[in-house]
Coordinates of all heavy atoms in Angstrom, one line a residue:
M1 N 0.8 -1.2 0.0 CA 0.0 -0.1 0.0 C 0.9 1.2 0.0 O 1.9 1.3 0.8 CB -0.9 0.0 1.2 CG -1.8 1.1 1.3 SD -2.9 1.0 2.8 CE -3.9 2.2 2.5
S2 N 0.5 2.2 -0.8 CA 1.3 3.4 -0.9 C 0.5 4.6 -1.0 O -0.7 4.5 -1.5 CB 2.5 3.2 -2.1 OG 1.7 3.3 -3.2
I3 N 1.0 5.7 -0.7 CA 0.2 7.0 -0.9 C 0.6 7.6 -2.3 O 1.9 7.7 -2.5 CB 0.6 8.1 0.1 CG1 0.0 7.5 1.5 CG2 0.0 9.4 -0.1 CD1 0.4 8.4 2.7
I4 N -0.3 7.8 -3.2 CA 0.1 8.4 -4.4 C -0.3 10.0 -4.4 O 0.6 10.7 -4.8 CB -0.6 7.7 -5.6 CG1 -0.3 6.2 -5.6 CG2 -0.5 8.3 -6.9 CD1 -1.2 5.5 -6.6
E5 N -1.3 10.2 -4.0 CA -1.7 11.8 -3.9 C -2.4 11.9 -2.6 O -3.3 11.1 -2.2 CB -2.8 12.0 -5.0 CG -2.1 12.3 -6.4 CD -1.1 13.3 -6.4 OE1 -1.2 14.4 -5.7 OE2 -0.1 13.2 -7.2
P6 N -2.1 12.8 -1.9 CA -0.9 13.7 -2.1 C 0.4 13.2 -1.8 O 0.5 12.1 -1.0 CB -1.3 14.9 -1.0 CG -2.1 14.2 0.1 CD -2.8 13.0 -0.6
K7 N 1.4 13.7 -2.3 CA 2.8 13.3 -2.2 C 3.2 13.3 -0.7 O 3.0 14.2 0.0 CB 3.7 14.0 -2.9 CG 3.4 14.0 -4.5 CD 3.7 12.6 -5.1 CE 3.6 12.7 -6.6 NZ 3.6 11.4 -7.1
I8 N 4.0 12.2 -0.3 CA 4.4 12.1 1.1 C 5.4 13.4 1.5 O 5.3 13.8 2.6 CB 5.2 10.8 1.3 CG1 5.4 10.7 2.8 CG2 6.5 10.8 0.5 CD1 4.1 10.4 3.6
D9 N 6.1 14.0 0.4 CA 6.9 15.0 0.8 C 6.1 16.3 1.1 O 6.5 17.0 2.0 CB 7.8 15.3 -0.4 CG 8.7 14.3 -0.7 OD1 9.1 13.6 0.3 OD2 9.2 14.1 -1.9
V10 N 4.9 16.5 0.4 CA 4.1 17.5 0.7 C 3.5 17.5 2.2 O 3.4 18.2 3.0 CB 3.0 17.7 -0.3 CG1 1.9 18.7 0.1 CG2 3.5 18.0 -1.7
L11 N 3.1 16.2 2.6 CA 2.6 16.0 3.8 C 3.6 16.2 4.9 O 3.2 16.9 6.0 CB 2.0 14.5 3.8 CG 0.8 14.3 3.0 CD1 0.5 12.8 2.9 CD2 -0.4 15.0 3.6
L12 N 4.7 15.6 4.7 CA 5.7 15.8 5.7 C 6.2 17.4 5.8 O 6.5 17.8 7.0 CB 7.0 15.0 5.4 CG 6.9 13.5 5.6 CD1 8.1 12.8 5.0 CD2 6.7 13.1 7.0
G13 N 6.1 18.0 4.8 CA 6.3 19.4 4.8 C 5.3 20.3 5.8 O 5.7 21.2 6.3
K14 N 4.2 19.7 5.9 CA 3.2 20.3 6.7 C 3.4 20.0 8.2 O 2.8 20.6 9.1 CB 1.8 19.8 6.3 CG 1.4 20.1 4.9 CD 1.2 21.6 4.6 CE 0.7 21.9 3.2 NZ 0.6 23.3 2.9
T15 N 4.3 19.0 8.6 CA 4.6 18.6 9.9 C 6.0 18.6 10.3 O 6.4 18.0 11.1 CB 4.0 17.2 10.1 OG1 4.6 16.3 9.3 CG2 2.6 17.1 10.0
D16 N 6.7 19.6 9.7 CA 8.1 19.7 9.8 C 8.9 18.5 9.8 O 9.8 18.2 10.6 CB 8.4 20.4 11.3 CG 7.8 21.8 11.4 OD1 7.7 22.6 10.4 OD2 7.3 22.1 12.5
N17 N 8.6 17.7 8.8 CA 9.3 16.3 8.5 C 9.2 15.4 9.5 O 10.1 14.6 9.7 CB 10.6 16.7 8.0 CG 10.7 17.4 6.6 OD1 10.0 17.0 5.7 ND2 11.7 18.3 6.5
D18 N 8.2 15.6 10.4 CA 8.1 14.5 11.5 C 7.0 13.6 11.3 O 5.8 13.8 11.1 CB 7.6 15.4 12.7 CG 7.5 14.5 14.0 OD1 7.4 13.2 14.0 OD2 7.7 15.1 15.1
R19 N 7.4 12.4 10.8 CA 6.5 11.4 10.2 C 5.6 10.9 11.4 O 4.4 10.5 11.1 CB 7.2 10.1 9.7 CG 8.1 9.5 10.6 CD 9.0 8.4 9.9 NE 9.8 7.8 10.9 CZ 10.9 7.1 10.7 NH1 11.1 6.8 9.5 NH2 11.6 6.8 11.7
F20 N 5.9 10.9 12.7 CA 5.2 10.5 13.7 C 4.0 11.6 14.1 O 2.8 11.2 14.3 CB 5.9 10.3 15.0 CG 6.9 9.1 14.8 CD1 8.3 9.4 14.7 CD2 6.5 7.8 14.7 CE1 9.3 8.4 14.6 CE2 7.5 6.9 14.6 CZ 8.8 7.1 14.4
L21 N 4.4 12.8 13.9 CA 3.4 13.9 13.9 C 2.4 13.8 13.0 O 1.2 13.8 13.1 CB 4.1 15.3 14.0 CG 3.1 16.3 14.1 CD1 2.2 16.4 15.3 CD2 4.0 17.7 14.1
L22 N 2.8 13.5 11.7 CA 1.9 13.3 10.4 C 0.9 12.2 10.8 O -0.3 12.4 10.5 CB 2.7 13.1 9.3 CG 2.0 12.8 7.9 CD1 1.0 13.9 7.6 CD2 2.8 12.4 6.9
C23 N 1.4 11.1 11.3 CA 0.7 9.9 11.6 C -0.5 10.2 12.6 O -1.7 10.0 12.5 CB 1.5 8.8 12.0 SG 0.5 7.3 12.4
A24 N -0.1 11.0 13.7 CA -1.0 11.3 14.8 C -1.9 12.3 14.3 O -3.2 12.1 14.6 CB -0.3 11.9 15.9
L25 N -1.6 13.3 13.5 CA -2.4 14.3 13.0 C -3.5 13.7 12.1 O -4.7 14.0 12.2 CB -1.6 15.5 12.3 CG -2.3 16.6 11.9 CD1 -2.8 17.4 13.2 CD2 -1.3 17.6 11.2
A26 N -3.0 12.8 11.2 CA -4.0 12.3 10.2 C -4.9 11.2 10.9 O -6.1 11.3 10.6 CB -3.2 11.5 9.1
S27 N -4.3 10.5 11.9 CA -5.2 9.6 12.6 C -6.3 10.3 13.4 O -7.5 9.9 13.3 CB -4.3 8.8 13.7 OG -5.1 7.9 14.5
K28 N -5.9 11.4 14.1 CA -7.1 12.1 14.7 C -8.1 12.7 13.9 O -9.3 12.7 14.1 CB -6.4 13.3 15.7 CG -5.6 12.6 16.9 CD -4.9 13.8 17.6 CE -4.2 13.1 18.8 NZ -3.8 14.2 19.7
R29 N -7.6 13.4 12.8 CA -8.5 14.0 11.8 C -9.5 12.9 11.1 O -10.7 13.1 11.0 CB -7.7 14.8 10.8 CG -8.6 15.3 9.7 CD -9.7 16.3 10.4 NE -10.6 17.0 9.4 CZ -11.8 17.1 9.6 NH1 -12.3 16.9 10.9 NH2 -12.6 17.5 8.7
A30 N -8.9 11.6 10.8 CA -9.5 10.6 10.2 C -10.7 10.1 11.3 O -11.9 9.8 10.8 CB -8.7 9.5 9.9
H31 N -10.3 10.1 12.5 CA -11.4 9.7 13.5 C -12.4 10.6 13.5 O -13.7 10.2 13.5 CB -10.7 9.5 14.8 CG -11.5 9.1 16.0 ND1 -12.7 8.3 15.9 CD2 -11.4 9.2 17.3 CE1 -13.2 8.1 16.9 NE2 -12.4 8.6 17.9
D32 N -12.2 11.9 13.4 CA -13.2 13.0 13.4 C -14.1 12.8 12.2 O -15.4 12.9 12.3 CB -12.7 14.4 13.4 CG -12.0 14.8 14.9 OD1 -12.3 14.1 15.8 OD2 -11.2 15.6 14.8
I33 N -13.5 12.6 11.0 CA -14.2 12.4 9.8 C -15.0 11.2 10.0 O -16.2 11.2 9.5 CB -13.3 12.3 8.7 CG1 -12.6 13.7 8.4 CG2 -13.9 11.9 7.3 CD1 -11.5 13.7 7.4
N34 N -14.5 10.1 10.4 CA -15.3 8.9 10.5 C -16.5 9.2 11.5 O -17.7 8.6 11.1 CB -14.5 7.7 11.2 CG -15.1 6.5 10.9 OD1 -15.9 6.2 10.0 ND2 -14.7 5.5 11.9
D35 N -16.4 9.9 12.6 CA -17.5 10.1 13.4 C -18.7 10.9 12.7 O -19.8 10.7 12.7 CB -17.2 10.9 14.7 CG -16.4 10.0 15.7 OD1 -16.4 8.8 15.5 OD2 -15.8 10.6 16.6
M36 N -18.1 12.0 11.9 CA -19.1 12.8 11.0 C -19.7 11.9 10.0 O -21.0 12.1 9.7 CB -18.4 13.8 10.4 CG -17.9 15.1 11.4 SD -17.2 16.5 10.5 CE -15.7 15.9 9.9
M37 N -18.9 11.1 9.3 CA -19.7 10.2 8.3 C -20.7 9.3 8.9 O -21.7 9.1 8.3 CB -18.5 9.6 7.5 CG -17.8 10.4 6.7 SD -16.2 9.4 6.0 CE -17.1 8.6 4.7
R38 N -20.3 8.7 10.1 CA -21.2 7.8 10.7 C -22.6 8.6 11.0 O -23.6 8.0 10.9 CB -20.7 7.3 11.9 CG -21.4 6.1 12.7 CD -20.9 5.6 13.9 NE -19.5 4.8 13.4 CZ -18.3 5.1 13.9 NH1 -18.3 6.2 14.9 NH2 -17.3 4.7 13.6
G39 N -22.4 9.8 11.4 CA -23.7 10.6 11.7 C -24.5 10.9 10.6 O -25.8 10.8 10.6
Q40 N -23.8 11.1 9.4 CA -24.5 11.3 8.1 C -25.2 10.0 7.6 O -26.3 10.1 7.1 CB -23.5 11.9 7.1 CG -23.2 13.3 7.3 CD -22.1 13.7 6.2 OE1 -21.7 13.0 5.3 NE2 -21.7 15.0 6.3
R41 N -24.5 9.0 7.8 CA -25.1 7.7 7.3 C -26.4 7.2 8.2 O -27.4 6.9 7.6 CB -24.0 6.5 7.5 CG -24.5 5.3 7.0 CD -23.4 4.2 7.0 NE -22.8 3.9 8.3 CZ -21.6 4.1 8.6 NH1 -20.7 4.4 7.8 NH2 -21.2 3.8 9.8
D42 N -26.2 7.6 9.6 CA -27.3 7.2 10.4 C -28.5 8.1 10.0 O -29.8 7.7 9.9 CB -27.0 7.4 11.8 CG -25.9 6.4 12.5 OD1 -25.8 5.5 11.7 OD2 -25.4 6.6 13.5
R43 N -28.3 9.4 9.8 CA -29.4 10.4 9.4 C -30.0 9.9 8.0 O -31.1 10.0 7.9 CB -28.8 11.9 9.4 CG -29.8 12.8 9.0 CD -29.3 14.2 9.3 NE -28.1 14.5 8.3 CZ -28.1 14.9 7.1 NH1 -29.3 15.2 6.6 NH2 -27.0 15.2 6.4
A44 N -29.1 9.6 7.1 CA -29.5 9.1 5.7 C -30.3 7.9 5.8 O -31.5 7.9 5.2 CB -28.3 8.8 4.8
I45 N -30.0 7.1 6.7 CA -30.8 5.9 6.9 C -32.2 6.1 7.4 O -33.2 5.7 7.0 CB -30.0 4.8 7.8 CG1 -28.9 4.1 7.0 CG2 -31.1 3.7 8.2 CD1 -27.9 3.4 7.8
Q46 N -32.3 7.0 8.4 CA -33.5 7.6 8.9 C -34.3 8.3 7.7 O -35.5 7.9 7.8 CB -33.3 8.4 10.1 CG -32.7 7.9 11.4 CD -32.3 8.8 12.4 OE1 -32.4 10.0 12.1 NE2 -31.9 8.3 13.6
L47 N -33.7 9.1 7.1 CA -34.3 9.6 5.9 C -34.6 8.8 4.6 O -35.3 9.1 3.8 CB -33.7 10.9 5.5 CG -33.4 12.1 6.6 CD1 -32.6 13.1 6.1 CD2 -34.9 12.5 7.0
Q48 N -34.0 7.6 4.7 CA -34.0 6.6 3.6 C -33.6 7.3 2.2 O -34.2 7.1 1.3 CB -35.3 6.1 3.5 CG -35.8 5.3 4.7 CD -37.1 4.6 4.6 OE1 -37.8 5.0 3.7 NE2 -37.6 3.9 5.6
T49 N -32.4 8.0 2.3 CA -31.9 8.6 1.0 C -30.5 8.0 0.8 O -29.6 8.1 1.4 CB -31.7 10.1 1.2 OG1 -30.8 10.3 2.3 CG2 -33.0 10.9 1.4
A50 N -30.6 7.1 -0.3 CA -29.4 6.4 -0.7 C -28.4 7.2 -1.3 O -27.1 6.9 -1.1 CB -29.7 5.4 -1.8
V51 N -28.6 8.4 -1.7 CA -27.7 9.4 -2.2 C -26.7 9.7 -1.1 O -25.5 9.8 -1.3 CB -28.4 10.6 -2.9 CG1 -27.3 11.6 -3.3 CG2 -29.1 10.1 -4.1
E52 N -27.2 10.1 0.0 CA -26.4 10.6 1.1 C -25.4 9.4 1.6 O -24.3 9.6 2.0 CB -27.1 11.2 2.2 CG -27.8 12.4 1.9 CD -28.5 13.1 3.0 OE1 -27.9 12.9 4.1 OE2 -29.4 13.8 2.9
I53 N -26.1 8.2 1.6 CA -25.3 7.0 2.1 C -23.9 6.8 1.1 O -22.9 6.5 1.5 CB -26.1 5.7 2.2 CG1 -27.2 5.9 3.2 CG2 -25.3 4.5 2.5 CD1 -28.2 4.8 3.2
A54 N -24.2 6.8 -0.1 CA -23.3 6.7 -1.2 C -22.2 7.7 -1.2 O -20.9 7.5 -1.2 CB -23.8 6.7 -2.6
R55 N -22.6 9.0 -0.8 CA -21.7 10.2 -0.7 C -20.8 10.1 0.4 O -19.5 10.2 0.4 CB -22.4 11.4 -0.6 CG -21.6 12.6 -0.7 CD -22.3 14.0 -0.7 NE -23.5 14.0 -1.6 CZ -24.6 14.4 -1.4 NH1 -25.0 14.8 -0.1 NH2 -25.6 14.4 -2.2
A56 N -21.3 9.5 1.5 CA -20.6 9.4 2.7 C -19.5 8.1 2.6 O -18.3 8.2 3.2 CB -21.4 9.1 3.9
A57 N -19.8 7.2 1.8 CA -19.1 6.0 1.6 C -17.9 6.1 0.5 O -17.3 5.2 0.2 CB -19.8 4.7 1.5
D58 N -17.9 7.3 -0.2 CA -17.2 7.5 -1.5 C -15.6 7.4 -1.2 O -14.9 6.6 -2.0 CB -17.5 8.8 -2.1 CG -16.8 9.0 -3.4 OD1 -16.8 7.9 -4.2 OD2 -16.5 10.0 -3.8
K59 N -15.1 7.9 -0.2 CA -13.7 7.9 0.1 C -13.5 7.6 1.5 O -14.2 7.7 2.4 CB -13.2 9.4 -0.1 CG -13.1 9.7 -1.6 CD -12.2 11.0 -1.6 CE -12.1 11.3 -3.2 NZ -11.2 12.4 -3.4
K60 N -12.3 7.0 1.8 CA -11.8 6.5 3.2 C -11.5 7.7 4.0 O -11.0 8.7 3.5 CB -10.8 5.7 3.1 CG -11.1 4.3 2.2 CD -12.0 3.5 3.0 CE -12.1 2.2 2.2 NZ -13.3 1.4 2.7
P61 N -11.8 7.7 5.3 CA -11.5 8.9 6.2 C -10.1 9.2 6.3 O -9.8 10.4 6.3 CB -12.0 8.5 7.6 CG -13.1 7.4 7.3 CD -12.7 6.8 6.0
L62 N -9.2 8.3 6.2 CA -7.8 8.7 6.3 C -7.2 9.2 5.0 O -6.5 10.2 4.9 CB -7.0 7.3 6.5 CG -5.5 7.5 6.8 CD1 -5.3 8.4 8.1 CD2 -4.8 6.2 7.0
S63 N -7.8 8.9 3.9 CA -7.6 9.6 2.5 C -8.0 11.2 2.6 O -7.3 11.9 2.2 CB -8.3 8.9 1.3 OG -7.7 7.6 1.2
L64 N -9.3 11.2 3.1 CA -9.8 12.6 3.3 C -8.9 13.5 4.3 O -8.6 14.7 4.1 CB -11.1 12.6 3.8 CG -12.2 12.1 2.9 CD1 -13.6 11.8 3.6 CD2 -12.3 12.9 1.7
A65 N -8.2 12.8 5.3 CA -7.5 13.5 6.3 C -6.2 13.9 5.7 O -5.8 15.0 5.8 CB -7.2 12.6 7.5
F66 N -5.6 13.1 4.9 CA -4.3 13.3 4.2 C -4.4 14.5 3.2 O -3.6 15.4 3.1 CB -3.8 12.2 3.5 CG -3.0 11.1 4.4 CD1 -3.1 9.8 4.4 CD2 -2.0 11.7 5.3 CE1 -2.6 9.1 5.1 CE2 -1.3 10.7 6.2 CZ -1.6 9.4 6.2
N67 N -5.6 14.5 2.5 CA -5.8 15.6 1.5 C -6.2 16.9 2.2 O -5.5 17.9 1.7 CB -7.1 15.2 0.7 CG -6.8 14.2 -0.4 OD1 -5.8 14.2 -0.9 ND2 -7.7 13.3 -0.7
E68 N -6.8 16.9 3.4 CA -7.0 18.1 4.1 C -5.7 18.6 4.7 O -5.5 19.8 4.7 CB -8.0 18.0 5.3 CG -9.4 17.7 4.8 CD -10.3 17.5 6.0 OE1 -9.9 17.5 7.1 OE2 -11.5 17.3 5.7
I69 N -4.8 17.8 5.2 CA -3.4 18.2 5.5 C -2.6 18.8 4.5 O -2.1 19.9 4.6 CB -2.8 17.0 6.4 CG1 -3.4 16.6 7.6 CG2 -1.2 17.4 6.6 CD1 -3.0 15.2 8.1
A70 N -2.7 18.2 3.4 CA -2.0 18.7 2.3 C -2.4 20.0 1.8 O -1.6 21.0 1.4 CB -1.9 17.8 1.0
R71 N -3.7 20.3 1.8 CA -4.3 21.6 1.4 C -4.1 22.7 2.5 O -4.4 23.8 2.3 CB -5.7 21.4 1.2 CG -6.0 20.7 -0.2 CD -7.5 20.9 -0.6 NE -8.3 20.4 0.6 CZ -9.0 19.3 0.6 NH1 -8.7 18.4 -0.3 NH2 -9.9 18.9 1.6
G72 N -3.5 22.3 3.7 CA -3.4 23.1 4.8 C -4.6 23.5 5.7 O -4.6 24.4 6.4
E73 N -5.6 22.6 5.4 CA -6.9 22.8 6.3 C -6.7 22.2 7.6 O -7.6 22.6 8.5 CB -8.0 22.2 5.5 CG -8.3 22.9 4.1 CD -9.4 22.0 3.3 OE1 -10.0 21.1 3.7 OE2 -9.5 22.5 2.1
V74 N -5.8 21.4 7.9 CA -5.7 20.9 9.2 C -4.2 21.2 9.6 O -3.3 21.1 8.9 CB -5.8 19.3 9.2 CG1 -5.5 18.7 10.5 CG2 -7.1 18.8 8.8
S75 N -4.2 21.7 10.9 CA -3.0 22.0 11.3 C -2.7 21.7 12.8 O -3.6 21.1 13.4 CB -2.7 23.6 11.2 OG -3.6 24.3 11.9
Y76 N -1.7 22.1 13.6 CA -1.5 21.8 14.9 C -0.8 23.0 15.5 O -0.1 23.8 14.8 CB -0.6 20.5 15.0 CG 0.8 20.6 14.5 CD1 1.9 20.9 15.3 CD2 1.0 20.5 13.1 CE1 3.2 21.0 14.8 CE2 2.3 20.7 12.5 CZ 3.4 20.9 13.5 OH 4.6 21.2 13.0
D77 N -0.8 22.9 16.8 CA -0.1 24.0 17.6 C 1.2 23.5 18.1 O 1.3 22.6 19.0 CB -1.0 24.5 18.7 CG -0.3 25.5 19.6 OD1 0.6 26.2 19.1 OD2 -0.9 25.8 20.7
P78 N 2.3 23.9 17.5 CA 3.6 23.4 17.9 C 4.0 23.6 19.4 O 4.7 22.8 20.0 CB 4.6 24.2 17.0 CG 3.9 24.8 15.9 CD 2.4 24.9 16.4
S79 N 3.4 24.6 20.0 CA 3.7 24.8 21.4 C 2.9 23.8 22.3 O 3.3 23.6 23.5 CB 3.1 26.2 21.9 OG 1.8 26.3 21.7
S80 N 2.0 23.0 21.8 CA 1.3 22.0 22.5 C 2.0 20.7 22.5 O 1.6 19.7 23.1 CB -0.1 21.7 21.9 OG 0.0 21.2 20.6
I81 N 3.0 20.6 21.7 CA 3.9 19.4 21.6 C 5.0 19.4 22.7 O 5.8 20.2 22.6 CB 4.5 19.1 20.2 CG1 3.2 19.0 19.2 CG2 5.3 17.8 20.2 CD1 3.5 19.0 17.8
D82 N 5.1 18.3 23.5 CA 6.3 18.2 24.5 C 7.5 17.5 23.6 O 7.4 16.3 23.4 CB 5.8 17.3 25.6 CG 6.9 17.2 26.7 OD1 7.9 17.8 26.5 OD2 6.6 16.5 27.7
I83 N 8.4 18.2 23.3 CA 9.6 17.7 22.6 C 10.2 16.5 23.3 O 10.6 15.6 22.7 CB 10.5 18.9 22.1 CG1 9.6 20.0 21.4 CG2 11.7 18.4 21.4 CD1 9.3 19.4 20.1
K84 N 10.3 16.7 24.6 CA 11.1 15.7 25.4 C 10.4 14.4 25.3 O 11.1 13.3 25.4 CB 11.3 16.1 26.7 CG 12.3 17.4 26.7 CD 12.3 17.8 28.3 CE 13.2 19.0 28.4 NZ 13.3 19.6 29.8
N85 N 9.2 14.3 25.4 CA 8.4 13.1 25.4 C 7.8 12.8 24.0 O 6.9 11.8 24.0 CB 7.3 13.2 26.5 CG 7.8 13.3 27.8 OD1 8.8 12.7 28.1 ND2 7.3 14.1 28.6
H86 N 8.1 13.5 23.0 CA 7.6 13.2 21.8 C 8.1 12.1 21.1 O 9.0 11.4 20.7 CB 7.5 14.5 20.9 CG 7.1 14.4 19.4 ND1 5.7 14.0 19.3 CD2 7.7 14.5 18.3 CE1 5.7 13.9 17.9 NE2 6.7 14.2 17.3

């Protein structure tokens, strides 16, 4: 499995070349996206609209998270990271 788009160099550039920070940031964002998608799916099932279910299942949450990071839509506060224990 490999990342084709966005390029890994672009993603690492958004996290000061810290691959562990990139992993943590993408994981947390993907979790948030998954929670939002689950809510949309539950709402769509209640409304019985297949279009909303299909839209929510189109892309994987981690792929969405990586794309958001690459576009600069997801960031982090460097002062909140404990360098000694990172």
